[in-house]
């Protein structure tokens, strides 16, 4: 197969599946890892993909997303989310006061939270708060306000609640992160709530799956260097990691077990 034909097949696979790994390219086309990486560099230069630690992902568009209903009892925890959650949970120290985001990462953190030390969690998700009732070592505070279909609470009442608190550390997530645009999310209400949390946090950590690095969502939340650290996974684009590190942000790539 000629190189151009291989590039066409690779671009079609990335467009259809959203990603591809170096191992998949090597096994499918019988080429070396170095040749596979060269192919992906060429496709990236053409705007057809974004290279990652282990392969490449498809370019993404700016999107808005309405709050969706979630069921914590049946919500799946993907391996990369679990790895990021495990790395984040290990940072929680005795007597810390911690803001913990809801959604998929809040669900993933439930199984990774330390059970051998006492600390305080502030959450804005009713399902997460309910699950934390079984944690005898955790004192839990729930932000109040109007509940969304997803179970999260991010309105002005919730923002005012967190403005009265101070956090040793916060764990946030979002819809996209780039060095140029910073953290972004789908709604202004969520963005305003997150700014209130960040303003009162001593150490700020962003939990961001690699597929969302390099993506700009609808509403700007804050500059990327607002965060002390970003924990991501092996799907993170190499150029995005390098750009964040140039801003002085510590980027940790969590490895799946």
């Amino acid at each position: 197969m000629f190189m151009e034909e291989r590039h066409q097949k690779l671009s079609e696979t990335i467009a259809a599946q959203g990603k591809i790994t170096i191992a998949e390219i090597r096994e499918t086309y019988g080429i070396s890892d170095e040749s596979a990486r060269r192919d992906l560099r060429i496709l990236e230069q053409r705007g057809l993909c974004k290279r990652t630690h282990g392969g490449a992902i498809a370019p993404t568009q700016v999107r808005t997303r309405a709050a969706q209903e979630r069921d914590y009892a049946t919500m799946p925890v993907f391996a990369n989310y679990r790895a990021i959650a495990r790395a984040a949970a290990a940072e929680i120290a005795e007597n810390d006061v911690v803001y913990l985001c809801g959604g998929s990462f809040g669900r993933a953190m439930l199984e990774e939270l330390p059970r051998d030390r006492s600390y305080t969690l502030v959450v804005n998700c009713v399902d997460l708060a309910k699950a934390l009732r079984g944690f005898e070592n955790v004192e839990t505070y729930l932000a109040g306000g109007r509940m969304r279909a997803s179970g999260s609470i991010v309105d002005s009442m919730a923002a005012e609640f967190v403005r009265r608190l101070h956090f040793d550390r916060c764990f946030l997530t979002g819809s996209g992160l780039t060095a140029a645009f910073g953290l972004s999310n789908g709604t202004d209400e969520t963005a305003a709530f997150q700014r209130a949390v960040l303003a009162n946090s001593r150490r700020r950590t962003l939990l961001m799956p690699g597929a969302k690095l390099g993506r700009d969502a609808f509403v700007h939340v804050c500059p990327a260097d607002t965060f002390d650290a970003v924990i991501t996974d092996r799907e993170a684009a190499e150029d995005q990691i390098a750009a964040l590190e140039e801003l002085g942000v510590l980027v940790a790539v969590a490895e799946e077990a």
Side-chain angles (χ1 to χ4, degrees):
M1 179 182 293
F2 292 112
M3 184 171 65
E4 284 299 325
E5 292 179 281
R6 188 169 71 244
H7 289 174
Q8 179 63 33
K9 293 289 186 181
L10 287 173
S11 64
E12 291 172 356
T13 300
I14 294 169
Q17 300 181 0
K19 64 179 180 179
I20 197 167
T21 67
I22 295 295
E24 289 172 333
I25 299 172
R26 182 184 65 236
E27 294 168 7
T28 301
Y29 299 100
I31 61 177
S32 66
D33 287 3
E34 182 179 350
S35 295
R37 291 191 179 92
R38 183 185 63 237
D39 285 351
L40 294 180
R41 280 197 298 271
I42 293 172
L43 292 179
E44 184 178 48
Q45 290 169 358
R46 296 175 181 172
L48 299 174
C49 72
K50 296 292 292 185
R51 285 185 297 147
T52 70
H53 264 52
I57 58 175
T60 56
Q61 294 177 303
V62 173
R63 294 187 300 170
T64 62
R65 185 175 63 180
Q68 299 174 339
E69 184 176 353
R70 295 191 180 101
D71 182 357
Y72 263 51
T74 60
M75 183 186 293
V77 179
F78 300 110
N80 61 325
Y81 279 61
R82 189 183 305 278
I84 293 170
R86 184 180 304 116
E91 297 183 359
I92 299 176
E94 180 80 18
N95 296 324
D96 266 354
V97 177
V98 180
Y99 169 79
L100 176 59
C101 61
S104 297
F105 273 116
R107 173 67 182 87
M109 289 282 282
L110 277 175
E111 299 176 21
E112 308 298 336
L113 288 171
R115 306 297 289 264
D116 61 347
R117 68 203 70 162
S118 298
Y119 50 94
T120 298
L121 289 180
V122 178
V123 300
N124 68 314
C125 173
V126 294
D127 296 297
L128 184 54
K130 181 179 178 181
L132 288 168
R133 290 172 62 186
F135 286 65
E136 295 182 358
N137 62 311
V138 176
E139 188 172 51
T140 303
Y141 288 80
L142 174 63
R146 178 178 54 84
M147 185 182 71
R148 288 176 163 182
S150 63
S152 65
I153 306 169
V154 295
D155 65 359
S156 60
M157 295 175 67
E160 184 59 32
F161 177 87
V162 297
R163 288 192 187 99
R164 299 198 302 268
L165 305 177
H166 182 79
F167 308 106
D168 292 299
R169 61 180 69 246
C170 68
F171 296 108
L172 294 180
T173 189
S175 299
L177 176 70
T178 61
F181 193 59
L183 176 65
S184 52
N185 246 314
T187 70
D188 185 61
E189 194 175 47
T190 299
F193 177 82
Q194 290 183 321
R195 292 187 202 109
V197 172
L198 288 165
N200 287 1
S201 298
R202 180 172 57 84
R203 181 166 178 81
R204 308 173 182 100
T205 301
L206 183 66
L207 313 182
M208 184 61 63
K212 293 183 179 181
L213 276 185
R215 172 187 294 180
D216 289 328
F218 186 47
V219 181
H220 170 80
V221 179
C222 64
D225 60 3
T226 300
F227 293 95
D228 303 289
V230 173
I231 305 177
T232 186
D233 56 50
R234 289 183 61 83
E235 290 190 11
E238 294 176 347
D239 62 335
Q240 293 297 321
I241 292 178
L244 291 170
E245 290 177 335
E246 286 182 6
L247 293 176
V249 180
L250 174 65
V251 180
V253 178
E255 297 291 343
E256 298 177 15

